[in-house]
Amino acid sequence: MKKVAMIAAALLFGASAVFAVEGEVSFENKLSSDIVNISGGEGEFAGITEKVKVEFTSENLDFAVTGKASNMFAQTETATGYAYNLPSYNIDLGKFADWYVEYRPVQWLTLGWSDDVYAYGSYLPVFDGNVASGNIAAENGFALIFRPIGGLRIGTAIDFGYTVVDYNDSVDPAETTFRLDWSFGADYTYGELFSFGAAVRNVLADDRSFGVYASLLDLAGAKINLGYSYNDGINGIGGDHLITLGASYGVGAFSVDFDLAWAGDNDVLTDDLYLGLLPAFDINDNWGVNCDFEFYTNLSSGDNAADPSFVVHPELTYGVNSHKFGLGAKFEIAGSNVDIAFPVYWKYKFKK
């Protein structure tokens, strides 16, 4: 009993010490569902997803943790009837999306755990994500990020989850497998005008990847991101070479985002193509509309050719105070097949 009391006291002291640091706490909870998935004329309940995130940021310390439960109450057919899924919250500590810690003992040095830090030009706004090889820090390990001068970030990281040395006495030592998932990169940002960056992921392995990126941060209301990546992919397409373009523009109540990703292997750069377009309009302070258009195709001829596919997702949103609601319809079209869903969500968010 004394041990339990001592542990509880230590945890309480640690928590109070952290939150004694002056900073900002944010909380976000999002409930979402596609309501029903209709494919081939048949429909089934799509289940419910909940995602909750708590984040703390301050001058010297930032951290966040995210929990997610997917497909709650989704119906699955069994040999004796139907089952309804009620999963536990998934907090996979090997992924940045679920947790990270940044500590800055001095302002020019950051120690990061499970801490993705991307070059700005690797971002695609419609997809709302980055090309993986644009990460100058750690995906699921430990990183050091140096800021020797204003605008310059230099990062190096070791990702965990790999055997550093796999040695077997029965084989020639020359055949020993050595695996250390080491990555490094840097980017430089000049004010609010432009940014350049480059990174190499998993340097010592045969499946290493690298990328170079550029971003125009403010071009008469527009932002443009450009990138080239080797041995990488994004949003379901990839290959030996990947060229990406992300652009955003806003004026008044209107905004529009655009994505392009073009991937191929060494012999041809016309294998896979993804295009995304997301126009949005704020009707007033509370109501808004947007429509997500996505297009995927394989440009190769012969056996690699495939039917193009389309995604169309119009949405109506309403926001008041810390709450936001969304209601829409989603159509996925591939050849003669059409899948339909009706995505809805409620999100509550505050900062303090």
Side-chain angles (χ1 to χ4, degrees):
M1 188 68 181
K2 289 183 178 179
K3 289 184 178 180
V4 174
M6 290 175 64
I7 293 172
L11 290 174
L12 180 60
F13 175 79
S16 62
V18 168
F19 286 100
V21 177
E22 184 177 351
E24 183 177 76
V25 177
S26 65
F27 170 81
E28 180 178 324
N29 185 55
K30 183 177 181 180
L31 280 171
S32 60
S33 175
D34 283 347
I35 303 297
V36 62
N37 289 324
I38 303 173
S39 182
E42 298 184 359
E44 62 180 20
F45 179 58
I48 300 171
T49 295
E50 181 179 31
K51 184 176 181 181
V52 59
K53 179 179 180 180
V54 179
E55 186 169 22
F56 174 81
T57 57
S58 68
E59 183 178 355
N60 298 101
L61 177 67
D62 305 334
F63 62 85
V65 62
T66 301
K68 184 176 182 180
S70 300
N71 300 320
M72 294 187 291
F73 305 108
Q75 177 179 294
T76 57
E77 188 172 0
T78 67
T80 57
Y82 292 94
Y84 298 88
N85 185 35
L86 189 60
S88 60
Y89 282 91
N90 173 32
I91 303 179
D92 181 353
L93 297 185
K95 296 181 180 178
F96 167 77
D98 298 305
W99 75 283
Y100 81 90
V101 175
E102 282 192 359
Y103 174 59
R104 291 172 292 279
V106 290
Q107 287 305 303
W108 54 266
L109 173 65
T110 297
L111 285 68
W113 291 263
S114 190
D115 186 21
D116 282 322
V117 178
Y118 289 100
Y120 295 112
S122 66
Y123 180 72
L124 295 183
V126 181
F127 174 65
D128 192 21
N130 296 76
V131 181
S133 57
N135 185 6
I136 68 172
E139 179 182 359
N140 63 353
F142 176 73
L144 293 173
I145 303 169
F146 303 91
R147 296 176 174 85
I149 61 173
L152 177 63
R153 302 185 298 184
I154 303 171
T156 184
I158 299 294
D159 280 301
F160 303 149
Y162 300 97
T163 300
V164 175
V165 176
D166 181 11
Y167 185 79
N168 188 330
D169 291 334
S170 65
V171 300
D172 188 329
E175 299 178 8
T176 298
T177 300
F178 181 80
R179 179 68 182 264
L180 182 65
D181 199 349
W182 172 48
S183 305
F184 64 86
D187 69 352
Y188 176 73
T189 302
Y190 184 77
E192 298 183 358
L193 296 179
F194 62 83
S195 178
F196 296 100
V200 184
R201 305 292 304 171
N202 202 3
V203 177
L204 302 177
D206 292 337
D207 59 350
R208 71 184 62 84
S209 62
F210 66 83
V212 291
Y213 307 94
S215 180
L216 296 175
L217 301 176
D218 188 3
L219 187 65
K223 177 186 289 186
I224 299 175
N225 298 330
L226 293 168
Y228 165 79
S229 307
Y230 172 77
N231 192 27
D232 206 346
I234 192 169
N235 203 10
I237 72 168
D240 293 324
H241 308 281
L242 175 69
I243 295 173
T244 54
L245 166 65
S248 299
Y249 177 74
V251 56
F254 174 77
S255 66
V256 61
D257 297 327
F258 174 75
D259 287 353
L260 180 150
W262 186 21
D265 295 325
N266 284 320
D267 56 340
V268 61
L269 191 56
T270 55
D271 281 354
D272 296 317
L273 178 67
Y274 152 67
L275 298 172
L277 183 68
L278 180 59
F281 181 75
D282 294 330
I283 300 172
N284 54 36
D285 291 341
N286 302 108
W287 292 94
V289 292
N290 63 78
C291 190
D292 181 4
F293 300 93
E294 298 182 29
F295 171 74
Y296 304 82
T297 190
N298 184 292
L299 301 175
S300 300
S301 59
D303 295 337
N304 293 327
D307 290 329
S309 62
F310 304 86
V311 175
V312 182
H313 178 196
E315 182 180 66
L316 176 68
T317 62
Y318 175 76
V320 57
N321 298 326
S322 299
H323 303 267
K324 187 173 183 179
F325 303 85
L327 170 65
K330 187 175 183 179
F331 306 89
E332 298 186 25
I333 306 166
S336 60
N337 185 61
V338 179
D339 295 336
I340 304 173
F342 299 93
V344 298
Y345 70 86
W346 164 60
K347 181 166 65 175
Y348 175 73
K349 184 175 182 179
F350 78 85
K351 291 184 178 181
K352 187 175 181 180

